Amino acid sequence: MSSCRRLGGGLVQTGGSLKLSCAASGFRFRDYAIGWFRQTPGKEREGVSCISRVDARTYSADSVEGRFTISTEAAKNTVYLQMNSLKPEDTAVYYCAASDHCFIGDYRDDRVGDYFRVHHWGKGTLVTVSS
């Protein structure tokens, strides 16, 4: 069974930084577009950062542009999300995910179609930013 093991998360003050990591087993990250999603209660899961499998181009949601950086380490089959200048509105459960193509925005399996559908989800990690 394939899975993603995530590390990181926790409580940080406004303006602080955190780095999330997600190590995959059972599949290779380089075969997929790898993204980070986040979710708060009552809202759709939101794609916030992604790196393409084709050309390693990165994509970010406007809300995190310039603050969050996604990177991968192929040898460790691991993806990272460096989060800087954190804001209370960044508080959420964060998930790593593998799909055929990058997706940024509100995500629902029944709406995105096969092109963007996530094949592997990591277990979520809670990030809490205190004001």
Side-chain angles (χ1 to χ4, degrees), residues 41-58:
K43 292 190 175 181
E44 303 289 356
R45 198 167 290 190
E46 175 193 19
V48 296
S49 190
C50 187
I51 185 165
S52 169
R53 63 173 174 161
V54 176
D55 55 8
R57 179 179 174 182
T58 60

Side-chain angles (χ1 to χ4, degrees), residues 5-6 16-17 22-23 26 39 47 57 59 62 68 72-73 76-77 90 105 114 116 124:
R5 179 172 61 90
R6 89 298 176 268
S17 298
C22 180
Q39 190 170 27
R57 179 179 174 182
Y59 301 85
D62 289 344
F68 289 12
T72 58
E73 190 171 355
K76 295 184 178 181
N77 215 29
D90 295 319
D114 292 339
F116 293 112

